[in-house]
Amino acid sequence: MSYVVSTKEEQAQMLKDIGVKNTEELFNDVPKSVLLKTPLNIKEGVSEFEVLKDMEKIASKNRLFKSTFRGAGSYKHLIPEVVKHLSSISGFLTSYTPYQAEISQGNLQGMFEFQSEICNLFDMDVSNSSVYDGASAVAEAMLMTLTNKKNKILFSKSINPNVQAVIKTYAFARNVELIEVLSKDGCLDIEDLTLKMSEEVSAVIIQSPNYYGLLEDIEEIVNISHELGIMVVESVNPLIAPLVKSPGSLGVDIVCGEAQPLGLDRAFGGPYVGFMATKKVNMRKLPGRIVGQTVDEEGKRAYVLTLQAREQHIRREKASSSICTNQANSALRCVIYMGAMGKQGLKEVATQCMSKSHYACNEICRIEGYSLKYSGEFFDEFTIHTPYDIDEINNRLRKLNIEGPLRLSKCSMLVCVTEATSREEIDEFISILKEVSRWS
Amino acid sequence: MSYVVSTKEEQAQMLKDIGVKNTEELFNDVPKSVLLKTPLNIKEGVSEFEVLKDMEKIASKNRLFKSTFRGAGSYKHLIPEVVKHLSSISGFLTSYTPYQAEISQGNLQGMFEFQSEICNLFDMDVSNSSVYDGASAVAEAMLMTLTNKKNKILFSKSINPNVQAVIKTYAFARNVELIEVLSKDGCLDIEDLTLKMSEEVSAVIIQSPNYYGLLEDIEEIVNISHELGIMVVESVNPLIAPLVKSPGSLGVDIVCGEAQPLGLDRAFGGPYVGFMATKKVNMRKLPGRIVGQTVDEEGKRAYVLTLQAREQHIRREKASSSICTNQANSALRCVIYMGAMGKQGLKEVATQCMSKSHYACNEICRIEGYSLKYSGEFFDEFTIHTPYDIDEINNRLRKLNIEGPLRLSKCSMLVCVTEATSREEIDEFISILKEVSRWS
Amino acid sequence: MELIFEKSVANHRCTLLPKLDVPLYEIDKSVARDTPFDLPEIAEIDLVRHYTKLSKETFGIDDGFYPLGSCTMKYNPKINETVASLKGFTDISPISSPEDVQGALQVYYESEQVLCEVTGMDHISFQPGAGAHGEFSGLLIIKKYHQSRGDFNRNKIIIPDSAHGTNPASAAMNGFKVITIPSKDGLVDLDELDKVLDDTVAGLMLTNPNTLGLYDSGILEITKKVHSYGGLCYYDGANLNAIMGVCKPGAMGFDCIHLNLHKTFSTPHGGGGPGVGACGCRDFLYPFLMNPRIIKTNKNEYAFEESGLSVGKVTAFYGNFLIVVRTLTYLKHLGCNGLREVSDNAVLNANYLRVKLKDTFNVAFDKICMHEFVLDLSSYKEKYGIRAIDICKRMIDFDMHPPTMYFPLIVHEALMFEPTETEGKQTLDKVVEILKNIAIEAKSGSVDLTKAPYTKSYKRMDEVKAAREPILRYVHEK
Amino acid sequence: MELIFEKSVANHRCTLLPKLDVPLYEIDKSVARDTPFDLPEIAEIDLVRHYTKLSKETFGIDDGFYPLGSCTMKYNPKINETVASLKGFTDISPISSPEDVQGALQVYYESEQVLCEVTGMDHISFQPGAGAHGEFSGLLIIKKYHQSRGDFNRNKIIIPDSAHGTNPASAAMNGFKVITIPSKDGLVDLDELDKVLDDTVAGLMLTNPNTLGLYDSGILEITKKVHSYGGLCYYDGANLNAIMGVCKPGAMGFDCIHLNLHKTFSTPHGGGGPGVGACGCRDFLYPFLMNPRIIKTNKNEYAFEESGLSVGKVTAFYGNFLIVVRTLTYLKHLGCNGLREVSDNAVLNANYLRVKLKDTFNVAFDKICMHEFVLDLSSYKEKYGIRAIDICKRMIDFDMHPPTMYFPLIVHEALMFEPTETEGKQTLDKVVEILKNIAIEAKSGSVDLTKAPYTKSYKRMDEVKAAREPILRYVHEK
Ligand SMILES: Cc1ncc(COP(=O)(O)O)c(C=O)c1O
Ligand SMILES: Cc1ncc(COP(=O)(O)O)c(C=O)c1O
């Protein structure tokens, strides 16, 4: 069951040609004491049909909710079937990093289109062709800003806690001093930011919409920071791009984040894909693969991996990052999703998300005992304050096969509503909130 | 939602270029009284996401049994995933009949391989590249045998009743006289056959394994028939080919049938695919598409649709059949399945079917009240005689999510067991039969 | 390319089955196979490479413009494929109890409802495997109808000379005598029709718009005439793409029809099927429609029903179910406005292409057409020695599939273009540009079109050789 | 080829969303986007044609031999894709309550169990996104381990000069100083190792078999030496394909490892990811492994667990879950014998190819190799002016993907072949024949290899231009 092609007879012939008696001899360099004496203690293989049944059984232990109000970094959106079909064509799927450009133009052009679209979304100059995920993208962006003299980083407490955890990991690794900037009314506290700025700070990292769903005052943050020569790194949900002022136009230095909302399944957290874009000046500091346009010998426009002098296989310990395999196929799927939605479609998705979350929010706030915790503008998530038992609310919802909001604290919950949720589903959700209100 | 590409503005420009004011004008030739005054009385379109949900809901109204003991013309077999993946590659799927051979070699070669494999299975000389289904294949085979003088057809009562129904339809259409040959102990009654033979009979149609799962005595039937210049048409389950004497070697004139067991889903009866193969002498009587080998201008081996003089687009009312669109993609899937199973694999499938059905049969016959109705050799189906209420048996099985055998009559049922059923599943089925026996 | 047999290596193989978990049963020697059993032996990776390679030598709609006239090569929505691969549709037996397959019956029932409204028919059966099979079935219904009334004299079917080859062939399969009537200006010549009408006529077969892409405005007179002689009118619905939401075959006077679901209703054509030739009829013919039929009971359940007068069955079960699943998916997605938009734009695109090409090529009947039109290239043949096939083969060099060639038979050097509604103006403009360039090549001789295509892996085929020395299967060279 | 932007037409679009069924909310003008928002506008059919065309300009394993050394380009079983697309896996949130995602946790738990047995580790986290990320995480665990013991002096990582570039880069990302030691006969030079070992050494990074495909038989001494100085041993598991069921990194003395699931465990490489760099460690390092971990409770339920000493998180959730799903599918399918068979044949195939090519090309270290081997083409460069890249580009003409070029750096004009176990003898024989022919072309100059490939849509690329005049995004020409 191992997809080995050659028959035992052929294998014997090959061993003979090599000049050894058996396969064991091929492992003569392995010290005797290291060689396994018995087979691995794992089950015998079974046919693909049995495996499929088994895996289907495992999959069925995951609950498929009919609707969900949970986001917090992983979002349920509508994904046209054409996106899944195209991104899994075997050429795309079974190739590797396009080292041989002559027979990899499909992947290379797809990546170039990805870079271009990411730049367009945010009004940035350059983008790489993906990093592992949104959190590691933020961490990599942080590393990009460091200099010999500037080894401190400010980060907003309103960033998604999982992302905070990852930047903390990277900061520990690179011996970077991380300083937390407090929140006020759910957003970065500008006063605290000003207080904590110093000459040794290389950058401030923010997220908008932030963890609580709120838009940060990017313009203000950029102005203050740039005055002190501090760079601004913004993590962003790319889906909001059609609606809000672009990070590029506001002066943000590095924009990065998680592109999962652009056509990737939630899939228990991955594969997703991190994106990073910046201004031209920072081009050579970008980590990861970058595709550039060139020509072939006959002058035909073509694409290749470029600026490789930044990368580990050339620069080794001096590389801007160790990333090698990235998330190419996820990025390709995003690019196909953006093509499928198009300029108008993506704006419509964003508008629907915003409209539905506001509809839900308004309806919730009309119920006794529920109120909006923060007053700022939000996108597809918002924080509700309530005295009722949130676990109890979620249990009731689960019984109707609805995944409830994320419990943030004893009396606050993060509600997510996207275009994938119908009004009917929102209303059903609201009716449960009402029920709890009535009974409490 | 119509997949129309041009915008309203572009459509307006096109109308202008054509020289009409609006699309209505394009329909000026339609008599006023025929033109619809109001839109069609059907629902408004909805997005693909809504359609998908709706169709998923409909699909969920079909019960997915965990195991099945029902065959009778549509069989559950194991289909490797690779078969589904390859046969649905877009080039194969979105092309049409390969009229332009230069850019259709993939499909053409696939059909040529199908023809070759069908010939190999049955030791026949020529095969067409598919007809609608197994039943229409038998009907077409019947038509092939007719001559001006011979307009009567004998058919065995042991043929699948659905197939009988179809040949009756075709016979009525072509004014053919059909004569039924009785069964004896579940098989064609040779005596009755001999009795009913005459000079006007062009062919005798049999099925083996027949409806009751039994192998017919083909050698004997061929001998008797050929003596009187009567052709033998045999409908066969192709999966048994590795195990039994080939129709070709036994002198059968036309072999045909349903290739669903070769990698096609049961899919509520379709798409399946009918195959037909015969000896060289009958080559030009075959209906349907036939692919032949040739060379291109540079002498490269290639394939084209050939012997088209038989077909409707050339011969019109004198064509051997009116078939035009056939079941190309189903045939392709069969050819990929046969490649995936291969020579040894297909034999193993057949052997497993046979072994499992015999295991089940033996176990059943040990239970009080159940006995094998016919004594002949069978393949993956057999007929059980029982005094117990078969509907009651099936209801009990249904409760365990098992699809029970087909009820043939008040006290007989047709049991099907293939390689897709595990021993455990067979044993569970048997335990219910036992239960019924105990309680009755 | 190598054949799968040529890649076969002794004892190579793919996926292994589950282990046999019951005693091995060996078949009796007396009936056991005694001749070689030859199938390829190949590993999964090699199987994949083989068919992946083949797929790349196959031009589909996903690869480019495919204006194959009379075939409605429209875009095949990927959502259809997703729906058609739902286990609830693929993994069910056709002989399950109706209570276990209510969803499947609902698919048939709902599709029938919608398509009856689209066509003006009262009932539809989805049993026929494709258009020609639908014709066969429909004509059989007509035959049965006449006979049921004790009228055994009606042994003729009238068919215009422009008809698709399946029409006369299907009539012949029903034992009918085919009466071909010549067309006038591409349409039914009423005088010719009059000449052949009498009480031996079982019916008329017609497609409207016809195979020239022309809507026969005399349609009401035609059907009325046939009816007046006691004949029935059969509608070949292969060209329904032109008229959805515009007019109904029922209103034109047709009694019985077939629809090519694989064409109008967007199922991928699969290299030549599977399709569905849905067969529809008016109420008075319902007793004769194929068995079984699917009805809704007053308990709101779906059930089978049989008619004793039915022509019976034409396939073993209920036809190509998964194609009907795709059809229903498409119908629900498009809805009433969508269907009308399809026809408007199918006709718009054809007329646009016709108008843009008419100065370069001769349009066979140059007037407003429906969803397709026919060029007559006989002047190219006469003046430049360039045949329709040469133009076609040259199109291949520009990554387009050629149109239908040499059909309908009444036009010489015919090229039949059906762009369909799923092509945009940009694509059509590009096509026009390319065709005009090819016309220049034809006239100037700057490129030898009789040798085209030039840029593909395969050059022009020796079709005569294939037919004269038929090699129809692979035989191992020993 | 045109870019998607160049196919864009104003107001063309694809699938429409469901209608907005709540009141429209308009964002406040003060924050609303005020710059152009430029994405392609394209219909579904044109989108499909665009990416279908692109896919055909991309060579994958399904298209042919792909011996890219150090990348384990083995056949990707289609069953993996089916399993990874089950809704129960794709349609679940990473922040659901554990009780709602027991299946997902089980996938992680079972995969961890099996891979621990394969590698001799005690725990595995699947969080890292690929191999390099696994290295980063593993070294961080080592760093944290030392610091947790109050040992802040260990700031060096020893890496042989044959190592993959990600090794030093990952060490640097952890703030370590990289000490490169030269190899001797392609293996670790124990004397050189001795020279650099002291109590500032945090650890050693090694892959065994190494990037030359050689198994370092001194492995036990090496790891013992490092341990004796208080350093830890990190195993780069990119080359695990060679040794499954043969020997375990744990038994070689490694404390912490990563595995490239996308390589050894058969996930399609997707044009460069996603992958998984599963990071494993021995018990004593478990406190430092990434959070959260997945455990089985005594109620036989799966649950998350956190450690206060953990290095934390390296991706937002639990890594590339669907890749782990594929891995588990593969592991269950192959089972214990299958895995051993993989390694036996991966090594067999590499040696067979090596032996068949050694008379034609110079093998860098010509002895029994593991799953890959390296050719040294410097003599071709000297004698015929033909470089490794020229041989590679010529291979393309024969429908093969070239091997890895110019790596490892210690071999000049290196070509690194890793055929993997999923290629059969026939394929290898054909490859040998083609490579021998190319060698003849190189020697005779009968074909100018510096201009290859000749037969593909694209000729050789101007990489210098790309780097000198970087064009990294499409900008509309106005
Ligand atoms: C006008 C017309 N009628 C009938 C048919 C036959 O349809 P099918 O190929 O589905 O049998 C066609 C198909 O080409 C056609 O164009
Ligand atoms: C030996 C070795 N180590 C590490 C890596 C890095 O793995 P990844 O590309 O998954 O980051 C590779 C990949 O090429 C490798 O070959």
Side-chain angles (χ1 to χ4, degrees), chain A residues 125-371:
Chain A
D125 301 325
V126 282
S127 153
N128 65 14
S129 73
S130 81
V131 292
Y132 305 124
D133 76 342
S136 70
V138 180
E140 292 275 9
M142 169 180 82
L143 300 185
M144 274 175 71
T145 68
L146 301 176
T147 65
N148 281 342
K149 290 190 192 142
K150 292 172 169 255
N151 198 33
K152 290 186 182 170
I153 295 281
L154 298 176
F155 74 97
S156 169
K157 232 193 127 177
S158 59
I159 291 177
N160 182 309
N162 284 331
V163 176
Q164 290 186 37
V166 174
I167 61 181
K168 280 177 190 159
T169 304
Y170 276 69
F172 169 71
R174 273 282 287 266
N175 308 317
V176 172
E177 190 181 327
L178 269 184
I179 304 164
E180 190 179 82
V181 183
L182 300 178
S183 303
K184 196 174 146 183
D185 200 17
C187 283
L188 178 128
D189 180 350
I190 301 273
E191 238 168 278
D192 193 49
L193 174 67
T194 321
L195 263 174
K196 287 174 175 162
M197 281 175 162
S198 77
E199 288 222 324
E200 289 159 335
V201 170
S202 71
V204 52
I205 307 178
I206 59 170
Q207 176 183 327
S208 178
N210 69 22
Y211 186 54
Y212 308 105
L214 303 165
L215 304 190
E216 297 281 359
D217 187 351
I218 295 157
E219 213 157 348
E220 180 73 3
I221 297 167
V222 167
N223 286 342
I224 302 174
S225 307
H226 281 186
E227 248 168 51
L228 283 170
I230 293 172
M231 293 173 85
V232 176
V233 173
E234 182 191 353
S235 170
V236 58
N237 178 343
L239 212 45
I240 203 181
L243 299 184
V244 298
K245 279 190 181 144
S246 67
S249 71
L250 296 175
V252 169
D253 298 282
I254 306 175
V255 63
C256 52
E258 176 53 67
Q260 180 266 330
L262 299 178
L264 300 182
D265 289 312
R266 286 174 301 157
F268 201 58
Y272 291 175
V273 54
F275 62 87
M276 303 178 67
T278 185
K279 304 281 176 177
K280 202 155 205 165
V281 286
N282 306 314
M283 178 174 77
R284 284 173 208 275
K285 287 194 188 142
L286 268 178
R289 307 291 183 183
I290 297 181
V291 174
Q293 184 179 313
T294 187
V295 291
D296 76 353
E297 273 204 348
E298 293 179 342
K300 204 161 157 185
R301 185 177 67 181
Y303 303 91
V304 292
L305 293 176
T306 195
L307 302 183
Q308 301 195 50
R310 302 164 299 114
E311 291 188 64
Q312 44 76 24
H313 59 294
I314 310 274
R315 284 292 282 287
R316 300 182 73 87
E317 60 267 31
K318 299 197 182 63
S320 57
S321 161
S322 73
I323 195 166
C324 175
T325 296
N326 54 15
Q327 304 278 124
N329 195 252
S330 301
L332 183 77
R333 190 155 155 172
C334 292
V335 102
I336 297 173
Y337 173 84
M338 286 190 272
M341 299 320 289
K343 183 174 163 170
Q344 294 179 32
L346 203 74
K347 188 166 179 180
E348 198 174 314
V349 173
T351 305
Q352 287 212 9
C353 287
M354 198 134 187
S355 301
K356 293 201 173 193
S357 64
H358 282 80
Y359 168 77
C361 180
N362 290 339
E363 294 297 312
I364 293 170
C365 293
R366 290 152 118 221
I367 312 171
E368 165 106 38
Y370 299 91
S371 61

Side-chain angles (χ1 to χ4, degrees), chain B residues 205-230:
Chain B
I205 307 178
I206 58 170
Q207 177 183 325
S208 177
N210 70 22
Y211 185 55
Y212 308 104
L214 304 165
L215 304 190
E216 296 280 0
D217 187 351
I218 296 158
E219 213 158 346
E220 178 75 6
I221 297 167
V222 168
N223 285 343
I224 302 176
S225 306
H226 282 184
E227 248 169 51
L228 283 169
I230 294 171

Side-chain angles (χ1 to χ4, degrees), chain C residues 244-381:
Chain C
M244 291 187 295
V246 176
C247 58
K248 303 181 183 182
M252 300 179 204
F254 288 100
D255 307 293
C256 187
I257 69 166
H258 82 265
L259 300 178
N260 280 352
L261 298 194
H262 45 303
K263 294 175 183 174
T264 313
F265 300 101
S266 81
T267 280
H269 287 52
V276 170
C279 180
C281 66
R282 302 299 305 272
D283 263 334
F284 73 97
L285 292 176
Y286 184 53
F288 314 104
L289 193 64
M290 282 77 84
N291 272 341
R293 303 88 181 284
I294 288 143
I295 57 159
K296 205 172 181 169
T297 66
N298 40 24
K299 279 190 233 148
N300 253 333
E301 278 162 10
Y302 300 99
F304 289 116
E305 193 182 65
E306 305 253 338
S307 156
L309 289 174
S310 163
V311 295
K313 280 171 150 291
V314 296
T315 50
F317 300 108
Y318 323 110
N320 289 328
F321 173 65
L322 295 179
I323 311 295
V324 185
V325 168
R326 289 175 172 91
T327 297
L328 185 60
T329 304
Y330 182 74
L331 288 170
K332 282 177 186 277
H333 187 38
L334 265 64
C336 117
N337 288 2
L339 290 179
R340 172 73 198 229
E341 204 172 42
V342 163
S343 292
D344 280 354
N345 282 278
V347 171
L348 177 66
N349 279 356
N351 277 289
Y352 183 70
L353 204 55
R354 177 183 58 80
V355 164
K356 292 282 169 178
L357 290 176
K358 63 190 272 187
D359 297 336
T360 310
F361 302 98
N362 184 34
V363 178
F365 295 90
D366 193 23
K367 46 176 291 201
I368 294 286
C369 63
M370 294 287 103
H371 63 301
E372 61 192 358
F373 64 92
V374 178
L375 297 182
D376 174 344
L377 295 202
S378 39
S379 72
Y380 277 73
K381 187 177 167 195

Side-chain angles (χ1 to χ4, degrees), chain D residues 16-65:
Chain D
L16 297 167
L17 292 169
K19 286 216 188 83
L20 183 63
D21 53 5
V22 299
L24 177 71
Y25 180 88
E26 273 178 289
I27 197 162
D28 195 273
K29 284 252 162 59
S30 66
V31 294
R33 184 161 185 130
D34 51 5
T35 53
F37 174 68
D38 206 10
L39 282 188
E41 301 184 81
I42 194 156
E44 193 163 314
I45 186 173
D46 295 320
L47 183 82
V48 167
R49 285 178 181 166
H50 181 68
Y51 289 105
T52 301
K53 188 165 180 181
L54 257 55
S55 77
K56 293 190 177 174
E57 288 293 344
T58 308
F59 187 98
I61 299 170
D62 288 3
D63 296 306
F65 188 55

Side-chain angles (χ1 to χ4, degrees), chain B residues 114 118 121-122 127-131 133-134 137-138 234-238 255-260 262 273-277:
Chain B
F114 176 80
I118 291 292
L121 288 183
F122 307 115
S127 153
N128 65 15
S129 73
S130 81
V131 293
D133 76 343
V138 181
E234 181 191 352
S235 171
V236 59
N237 178 342
V255 62
C256 53
E258 176 54 65
Q260 179 268 332
L262 298 177
V273 53
F275 62 87
M276 301 178 68

Side-chain angles (χ1 to χ4, degrees), chain B residues 288-299:
Chain B
R289 307 289 184 186
I290 297 180
V291 173
Q293 183 179 314
T294 186
V295 291
D296 76 355
E297 272 203 350
E298 293 180 340

